Amino acid sequence: MTQIRFALAQIDTCVGALDANAAKVLDYARRADAGHAQVVVFPEMTLTGYPIEDLALRRTFRRAAWDKANELAAGLKREGLGDLYVVVGTVGTDHATDKPYNRLVVLHDGVVWAGYDKHFLPNYGVFDEFRIFKAGDRSVVLDVDGARLGVAICEDIWQDGGPVAELAGRDIDALVTINGSPYEEGKTDVRLDLAKRRAAEVEAPLIYLNQVGGQDDLVFDGGSFVVDADGTLLARAPMFMEDLSFWTLDTTTVHQAKAEVAPALDPDEEVYTACVLGLKDYMAKNRFTGVTLGLSGGIDSALVAAMAADAVGGENVHGISMPSMYSSDGSKDDAADLAANIGAHYDVQPIEPLFTAFQSQLDLDGVAAENLQARIRGVIVMAYSNSKGLLAVATGNKSELACGYSTIYGDAVGGYAPIKDLLKTRVWELSRWRNRAAAAGVGIGGLRIVGNEAGAPGTPLKDGVMIPVASIEKAPSAELRPGQKDSDSLPEYELLDKVLAAYIEHAHGRADLLADGFDERTVDTVMRLVDRAEWKRRQYPLGPKVTALAFGRDRRLPITNAFRE
Amino acid sequence: MTQIRFALAQIDTCVGALDANAAKVLDYARRADAGHAQVVVFPEMTLTGYPIEDLALRRTFRRAAWDKANELAAGLKREGLGDLYVVVGTVGTDHATDKPYNRLVVLHDGVVWAGYDKHFLPNYGVFDEFRIFKAGDRSVVLDVDGARLGVAICEDIWQDGGPVAELAGRDIDALVTINGSPYEEGKTDVRLDLAKRRAAEVEAPLIYLNQVGGQDDLVFDGGSFVVDADGTLLARAPMFMEDLSFWTLDTTTVHQAKAEVAPALDPDEEVYTACVLGLKDYMAKNRFTGVTLGLSGGIDSALVAAMAADAVGGENVHGISMPSMYSSDGSKDDAADLAANIGAHYDVQPIEPLFTAFQSQLDLDGVAAENLQARIRGVIVMAYSNSKGLLAVATGNKSELACGYSTIYGDAVGGYAPIKDLLKTRVWELSRWRNRAAAAGVGIGGLRIVGNEAGAPGTPLKDGVMIPVASIEKAPSAELRPGQKDSDSLPEYELLDKVLAAYIEHAHGRADLLADGFDERTVDTVMRLVDRAEWKRRQYPLGPKVTALAFGRDRRLPITNAFRE
């Protein structure tokens, strides 16, 4: 009987941080060895971070990554970890063409022992790998203490054919896959179904090791797992946290033993946590310790502030109330209550004197005057950002951004937009979920998330309330003119969000939308709003581009697109 | 003896504008027929415009393009043009996979007669075709009135192998290539050398038909040509203008007759004209008739205003002088002089009262106070844009943008940035060139450019001056604090621009830059500035993204790149 004990090292890497990533590999390798593992598996492009974009094209970087891999292999051996097989991802080079590879290597016995280059280079959605990397063209089977391990990298298992098809005939004992698979809602099941199919194809258990953490505009959710050839889920790591778990392969049996299986999360908890992790890691990796944002008393800024408090603590959140002559007393109270609930700094900066000063020179009316109010607020938020070294976060949601219901250089200012991928109805749902979690004792910072592995309850909230109920329940308004309501300009959000999902995410054309059962007037209104907003955004490509999540397909259309369906 | 008369229809298309593009094809086909052509050749993706990005993925659009091609073929026949072979580009569909093709078709005798699909799909630099299109896999030879014509699309001739290699053995009489090749300085010679090589490879003349005009962030320069198998330049159309020229192939001789060869442009004229055409077409295709910008009295805003006047006439340029307490009298005078010289609208909006109003609430100092001044100006420019329906243009040059010497949401506001790809030393050179051209009688609107095909002298300038000499010659200053000079923060531009070209455009690393002969202190200063500016820009991806030209390679690096060379 041959048993191979695997350690699944689900870690959060940082792009370009070769030293820090290598140090983390060494740390987890020690812990894997202490847990008697023979093989420890890390995520895709462990040493370099992922995705590295055009950094892969810089020769100096590739040389440094290669040196780091060798130094790490030597260091492992020096510490007595030379027997361990350490499976990491890094960048390689094809010396004939000087093009980079997305490469898996095994560090063993002091050397960089074996290499496999990713075959399928995704360049759809958020991926751009075909632009950067050269494709590998051979499959690899590793002999590890008598067991035959096939390997593959991420997209290799999403496409038919290629290395998995080749491995199917080669009598492997397990298929080890290293992944950098960004979070999307519902993707957990999709990945698992895919892995079951590939495990059946190679007639062996499949190890799916995924990266965790926020990186630039993406969130990687972890949730690494092992699935048997018959489809049984044998082991699963938690989502959104770094983790080291163990699973043992027995090459003499067709039914493998189970290890620990982390339970699935509630859908609202999952999405909320993804948003918080995205913001937290964006700040950590860009060395920001605090955020600033405008607090209007509305639900969008309230939810973003709550997420920011969960990410970095309420004491690092600087909320600014910027009331105008059109702001209601209720809004001002709600903003103050929210700030108090999460323990944020809270300043009031009325914009009326500034608005009056501009108007005495410019004398604007209509939309220009409304935009002026939003832009004065943008200047104030950026002044806080510049003078206190805080990250400005934008509070726009997907519904209003899709419909152009925001002001560039105004409420759209910010380096990060945590809820850009949430439709308005989802903003309400997540706000209610966060209040329920608070009532159940999950205080600020109490989410199970990278950097807070214990998942402790966190700082308790006064009376268990986080987001004022009035912010959730009142009719949404931009408060840029007397009595203004979002519903003056937009369909009701319950309807609007359904049309937006069909039009944007499922690419339904006009005829499809009518066949979906939406009435003609609504369809034409929404299509007109979205097309015009896209056109404006392409003209001024300056709105919040950075997003926490890869929820929805973005349309990449030319600016001067004259085509109308 | 078989003679085939070709018409080279170098036209300016608009992305998505199927009706307008088809109407233009019909118009040029009539003129080709009137000139006794048997074949008329149009640029890549004529009917759809180019580049169409994700629009190609919309089935409704592909269906509309297909219908339009058939309707156009029928229309040509109805007008008695059925004998003409009309070579156009459009989008096709692979029905097995529902993926689009970048396709060349021939309209003849009332039908869409033959199809060729582009093999090589570029996805480097500004191109993203591999993401969108399916690659063709067969070469095509057209029999046209007894002559054998090979065809290829743009990138097909830039790569070895593929369709050109296949055509080499097939005894063709000419190779017809349709192109959407964006302007880069120096590319005219590169294209010609390449075409000579391919003509020799297929042992036949090569027709290179290029698109002309601005499209989104690109400028296509035209300059279509015919080159013989022995390398002789047989015909060449002018750059930056729509054009219909003729050339006759004689299949019975190895030495072809020459037609008209347009002379090469002066390098400064070429770059200046490219910038103007980019802005002019961006405005036309987005239906803007006027622009607004801040006029500081400095050279950057002066050059941009001159370009805008050349693009759309001085009467459609709205300059705003926004002096602060730190603005010199000379700067204010220079701004007023420039506006008068080009016949622009000119308003003065002092920012001191607004700055004072903000400061009474915010009490900022240092860089935050400097940024505040720039952002107040940004709000004013956008107020003009919103209230008068004008395109806001940003005036930043490549040197200051590369070094982060600008303010996001401040001087960086604008939907288009005409000189974003010009280093500061080039800004001075082009300003001097424009003044020389003005002295030689080239008034406003007098450039040879799309929409002004005659190349008339244009509206004369008072005393032949356009850009005040003081704006060109004075030491550059942002005037955000007393006595400030750019050289307080940056190396002198003559040196800085050389380092920037090496570091950014030629991707030289630190060791390379030292080997280039730059001193260590300068290299480290510039690398630190550029890396920090890139990092800021990636955090706030909101600066001027839209650019006239594809002059320099942009680095696409991850945001949280911790790697330092």
Side-chain angles (χ1 to χ4, degrees):
Chain A
M1 160 168 155
T2 299
Q3 286 200 334
I4 306 286
R5 188 161 165 81
F6 286 91
L8 279 58
Q10 173 176 295
I11 66 170
D12 184 2
T13 59
C14 179
V15 157
L18 296 170
D19 291 340
N21 296 336
K24 194 173 271 189
V25 169
L26 185 58
D27 176 42
Y28 274 74
R30 284 182 196 128
R31 293 166 53 192
D33 180 69
H36 308 293
Q38 291 143 272
V39 183
V40 55
V41 185
F42 288 89
E44 183 173 7
M45 301 208 88
T46 328
L47 296 181
T48 57
Y50 178 84
I52 60 171
E53 310 289 353
D54 283 10
L55 196 54
L57 302 176
R58 288 194 85 85
R59 216 176 296 168
T60 46
F61 178 70
R62 296 205 302 271
R63 203 179 309 131
W66 174 244
D67 291 345
K68 185 56 68 183
N70 281 280
E71 180 190 317
L72 179 59
L76 286 160
K77 182 167 187 182
R78 235 179 0 253
E79 292 208 17
L81 301 173
D83 288 343
L84 191 63
Y85 292 85
V86 179
V87 179
V88 295
T90 187
V91 64
T93 297
D94 175 54
H95 293 290
T97 58
D98 201 36
K99 283 197 81 172
Y101 284 119
N102 181 331
R103 179 169 285 178
L104 173 155
V105 295
V106 181
L107 312 178
H108 181 68
D109 197 22
V111 296
V112 180
W113 179 64
Y116 164 79
D117 297 318
K118 188 174 184 175
H119 284 48
F120 292 112
L121 301 170
N123 70 332
Y124 53 84
V126 301
F127 303 108
D128 216 0
E129 292 195 26
F130 187 87
R131 175 189 172 95
I132 299 158
F133 294 107
K134 185 170 160 65
D137 58 6
R138 58 190 185 84
S139 57
V140 168
V141 177
L142 308 172
D143 182 332
V144 170
D145 297 345
R148 293 170 55 76
L149 305 182
V151 295
I153 304 177
C154 207
E155 187 75 9
D156 289 336
I157 67 167
W158 291 81
Q159 305 293 331
D160 289 326
V164 176
E166 287 175 33
L167 292 170
R170 295 184 62 189
D171 190 28
I172 58 173
D173 295 307
L175 177 56
V176 175
T177 73
I178 66 174
N179 302 271
S181 180
Y183 175 65
E184 281 176 46
E185 202 174 357
K187 203 170 176 185
T188 300
D189 291 341
V190 176
R191 280 187 203 130
L192 184 58
D193 289 345
L194 173 75
K196 286 178 183 174
R197 197 146 59 82
R198 297 304 177 201
E201 189 177 344
V202 297
E203 299 178 78
L206 183 150
I207 296 171
Y208 185 97
L209 195 295
N210 193 21
Q211 171 174 351
V212 70
Q215 180 64 54
D216 299 349
D217 49 350
L218 299 175
V219 174
F220 298 88
D221 51 318
S224 303
F225 60 88
V226 184
V227 68
D228 207 349
D230 68 359
T232 309
L233 183 60
L234 298 171
R236 183 162 66 193
M239 297 175 82
F240 306 121
M241 299 170 62
E242 292 194 309
D243 188 71
L244 184 74
S245 54
F246 295 87
W247 171 76
T248 302
L249 166 73
D250 183 341
T251 63
T252 60
T253 175
V254 288
H255 293 296
Q256 300 294 329
K258 275 199 174 192
E260 201 167 339
V261 175
L265 296 183
D266 167 272
D268 288 332
E269 178 177 11
E270 187 182 294
V271 174
Y272 186 93
T273 307
C275 292
V276 172
L277 178 54
L279 175 59
K280 181 178 182 130
D281 257 5
Y282 189 85
M283 293 180 65
K285 293 181 185 180
N286 286 300
R287 281 158 288 153
F288 283 105
T289 53
V291 304
T292 185
L293 76 167
L295 290 182
S296 69
I299 189 57
D300 298 317
S301 58
L303 181 64
V304 170
M307 288 174 169
D310 277 328
V312 293
E315 71 279 13
N316 295 310
V317 176
H318 295 248
I320 318 168
S321 167
M322 296 175 281
S324 73
M325 41 289 173
Y326 309 126
S327 300
S328 68
D329 290 340
S331 291
K332 291 181 245 182
D333 294 346
D334 294 339
D337 287 351
L338 184 276
N341 291 351
I342 62 172
H345 300 266
Y346 182 69
D347 282 356
V348 179
Q349 298 284 0
I351 65 163
E352 193 167 353
L354 302 165
F355 183 74
T356 304
F358 274 103
Q359 282 294 60
S360 72
Q361 287 186 219
L362 300 175
D363 195 22
L364 304 171
D365 53 22
V367 171
E370 294 184 21
N371 283 338
L372 175 59
Q373 295 166 58
R375 292 201 177 107
I376 290 169
R377 292 187 175 116
V379 171
I380 294 171
V381 168
M382 290 308 294
Y384 273 70
S385 169
N386 286 170
S387 62
K388 296 175 193 290
L390 303 167
L391 174 68
V393 292
T395 61
N397 64 64
K398 182 164 183 159
S399 305
E400 67 184 29
L401 292 172
C403 293
Y405 202 69
S406 73
T407 300
I408 49 167
Y409 315 129
D411 52 305
V413 305
Y416 197 81
I419 62 169
K420 171 184 173 295
D421 286 303
L422 302 181
L423 292 169
K424 184 79 172 191
T425 46
R426 202 69 207 268
V427 169
W428 283 318
E429 286 164 5
L430 295 195
S431 300
R432 293 197 171 96
W433 173 82
R434 189 62 188 91
N435 277 356
R436 285 200 304 277
V442 182
I444 290 163
L447 301 176
R448 293 176 56 88
I449 199 172
V450 169
N452 183 22
E453 264 68 13
T459 313
L461 288 160
K462 260 186 307 181
D463 307 326
V465 173
M466 187 174 276
I467 298 169
V469 174
S471 293
I472 302 177
E473 295 190 346
K474 70 183 168 189
S477 167
E479 297 191 332
L480 293 172
R481 59 174 186 263
Q484 186 179 32
K485 294 272 173 291
D486 290 11
S487 55
D488 302 339
S489 311
L490 305 174
E492 295 290 345
Y493 283 111
E494 284 70 17
L495 174 60
L496 174 63
D497 285 359
K498 290 193 180 91
V499 183
L500 290 175
Y503 185 46
I504 298 177
E505 293 179 25
H506 303 295
H508 285 199
R510 188 172 183 280
D512 305 316
L513 293 170
L514 295 174
D516 291 339
F518 299 115
D519 70 280
E520 191 161 0
R521 193 160 146 267
T522 302
V523 166
D524 289 335
T525 301
V526 175
M527 286 182 71
R528 184 174 46 74
L529 288 169
V530 170
D531 290 351
R532 185 169 167 78
E534 280 200 357
W535 176 66
K536 291 294 285 183
R537 195 157 42 236
R538 293 192 302 266
Q539 280 172 50
Y540 289 83
L542 316 160
K545 278 281 180 60
V546 169
T547 163
L549 306 164
F551 278 175
R553 238 164 50 93
D554 254 354
R555 307 203 296 175
R556 307 207 319 190
L557 296 177
I559 301 169
T560 47
N561 166 25
F563 176 67
R564 291 287 165 268
E565 292 189 71
Chain B
M1 162 168 148
T2 299
Q3 287 200 333
I4 305 287
R5 189 161 165 81
F6 287 91
L8 278 59
Q10 174 176 295
I11 65 170
D12 185 1
T13 58
C14 178
V15 158
L18 296 170
D19 291 339
N21 296 336
K24 194 173 272 189
V25 169
L26 185 58
D27 176 42
Y28 274 74
R30 285 184 196 126
R31 293 166 53 191
D33 181 68
H36 308 293
Q38 292 143 272
V39 183
V40 54
V41 186
F42 288 89
E44 184 173 6
M45 302 208 87
T46 329
L47 297 181
T48 57
Y50 178 83
I52 60 171
E53 309 289 351
D54 283 10
L55 196 54
L57 302 175
R58 287 192 85 84
R59 217 176 297 168
T60 47
F61 179 70
R62 296 204 303 268
R63 204 180 308 131
W66 173 245
D67 291 345
K68 184 56 67 184
N70 282 281
E71 181 190 316
L72 179 59
L76 285 160
K77 182 166 188 184
R78 236 183 355 257
E79 293 207 16
L81 302 172
D83 288 343
L84 191 63
Y85 292 85
V86 179
V87 179
V88 295
T90 186
V91 64
T93 297
D94 174 55
H95 292 292
T97 59
D98 201 35
K99 282 198 82 173
Y101 283 119
N102 180 333
R103 180 169 285 178
L104 174 154
V105 296
V106 181
L107 312 179
H108 181 68
D109 197 22
V111 296
V112 179
W113 180 64
Y116 165 78
D117 298 318
K118 187 174 185 175
H119 284 49
F120 292 111
L121 302 169
N123 71 331
Y124 53 83
V126 299
F127 303 106
D128 217 0
E129 292 195 26
F130 187 87
R131 176 189 171 94
I132 299 158
F133 295 106
K134 186 170 159 67
D137 57 7
R138 60 190 184 86
S139 57
V140 168
V141 176
L142 307 173
D143 182 332
V144 170
D145 298 344
R148 293 170 56 77
L149 306 182
V151 294
I153 304 177
C154 206
E155 187 73 9
D156 289 336
I157 66 166
W158 291 82
Q159 305 291 333
D160 290 326
V164 176
E166 286 176 32
L167 293 170
R170 294 184 63 189
D171 191 28
I172 58 174
D173 295 307
L175 177 56
V176 175
T177 72
I178 66 174
N179 302 271
S181 180
Y183 175 65
E184 280 176 47
E185 202 175 355
K187 204 172 177 184
T188 298
D189 291 340
V190 176
R191 280 188 203 129
L192 184 59
D193 289 345
L194 173 75
K196 286 178 183 175
R197 197 145 61 81
R198 296 305 178 203
E201 189 177 344
V202 297
E203 298 177 78
L206 183 149
I207 295 171
Y208 186 97
L209 196 295
N210 194 22
Q211 169 174 353
V212 69
Q215 180 63 55
D216 298 352
D217 49 351
L218 298 175
V219 174
F220 297 89
D221 51 317
S224 303
F225 61 87
V226 184
V227 68
D228 206 349
D230 68 1
T232 309
L233 182 61
L234 299 171
R236 184 162 66 192
M239 297 176 81
F240 305 121
M241 299 170 63
E242 292 194 311
D243 187 73
L244 184 74
S245 53
F246 294 88
W247 171 75
T248 302
L249 168 73
D250 182 341
T251 63
T252 60
T253 175
V254 289
H255 293 296
Q256 299 294 328
K258 276 198 172 193
E260 201 167 341
V261 175
L265 296 182
D266 168 272
D268 288 333
E269 178 177 10
E270 186 183 294
V271 173
Y272 186 93
T273 308
C275 291
V276 173
L277 178 54
L279 175 59
K280 181 179 183 130
D281 256 6
Y282 189 84
M283 292 180 66
K285 294 181 184 180
N286 285 300
R287 282 158 287 153
F288 283 104
T289 52
V291 304
T292 185
L293 76 168
L295 289 182
S296 68
I299 189 58
D300 297 318
S301 58
L303 181 65
V304 169
M307 287 174 168
D310 276 329
V312 293
E315 71 280 12
N316 294 310
V317 177
H318 295 249
I320 317 168
S321 167
M322 296 175 280
S324 74
M325 41 290 173
Y326 309 125
S327 300
S328 67
D329 289 340
S331 292
K332 291 181 243 182
D333 293 345
D334 294 339
D337 288 350
L338 184 276
N341 290 350
I342 62 172
H345 301 266
Y346 182 69
D347 283 356
V348 179
Q349 296 286 359
I351 66 163
E352 191 167 355
L354 303 164
F355 183 74
T356 304
F358 274 103
Q359 282 293 61
S360 73
Q361 286 187 218
L362 300 174
D363 194 22
L364 304 172
D365 52 23
V367 171
E370 295 183 21
N371 283 338
L372 175 59
Q373 297 166 57
R375 293 202 177 107
I376 290 170
R377 293 188 175 116
V379 171
I380 294 171
V381 168
M382 291 308 295
Y384 273 71
S385 169
N386 286 170
S387 61
K388 297 175 193 288
L390 303 167
L391 175 67
V393 292
T395 61
N397 64 63
K398 182 164 183 159
S399 306
E400 69 184 28
L401 292 172
C403 292
Y405 202 68
S406 74
T407 301
I408 50 168
Y409 315 129
D411 51 306
V413 304
Y416 196 82
I419 61 168
K420 170 183 173 294
D421 286 303
L422 302 181
L423 293 170
K424 184 79 172 190
T425 46
R426 202 69 206 268
V427 169
W428 283 316
E429 287 164 5
L430 294 194
S431 301
R432 293 197 172 96
W433 173 82
R434 188 63 188 90
N435 278 356
R436 284 199 305 275
V442 182
I444 289 164
L447 301 176
R448 292 176 58 86
I449 199 172
V450 169
N452 182 23
E453 264 68 13
T459 312
L461 288 161
K462 260 186 306 184
D463 308 325
V465 174
M466 187 174 275
I467 298 169
V469 173
S471 293
I472 302 177
E473 295 190 347
K474 71 183 169 190
S477 167
E479 297 191 330
L480 294 172
R481 59 173 186 262
Q484 186 178 32
K485 294 272 172 290
D486 289 11
S487 55
D488 303 340
S489 309
L490 305 175
E492 294 291 344
Y493 283 112
E494 285 70 17
L495 175 60
L496 174 62
D497 285 359
K498 290 193 180 91
V499 183
L500 290 175
Y503 185 45
I504 298 176
E505 294 179 26
H506 303 295
H508 285 197
R510 187 172 184 281
D512 306 315
L513 293 170
L514 294 175
D516 291 338
F518 300 114
D519 71 279
E520 190 160 2
R521 193 161 146 265
T522 302
V523 165
D524 288 337
T525 301
V526 175
M527 287 184 70
R528 184 175 46 75
L529 287 168
V530 171
D531 290 352
R532 186 170 167 77
E534 281 200 358
W535 176 65
K536 290 294 285 185
R537 194 157 43 238
R538 295 192 301 265
Q539 280 172 51
Y540 288 83
L542 316 161
K545 278 282 180 59
V546 168
T547 164
L549 306 165
F551 278 174
R553 237 163 53 92
D554 254 355
R555 308 202 298 176
R556 308 206 325 188
L557 297 177
I559 301 170
T560 46
N561 166 25
F563 176 66
R564 291 287 165 267
E565 293 189 68

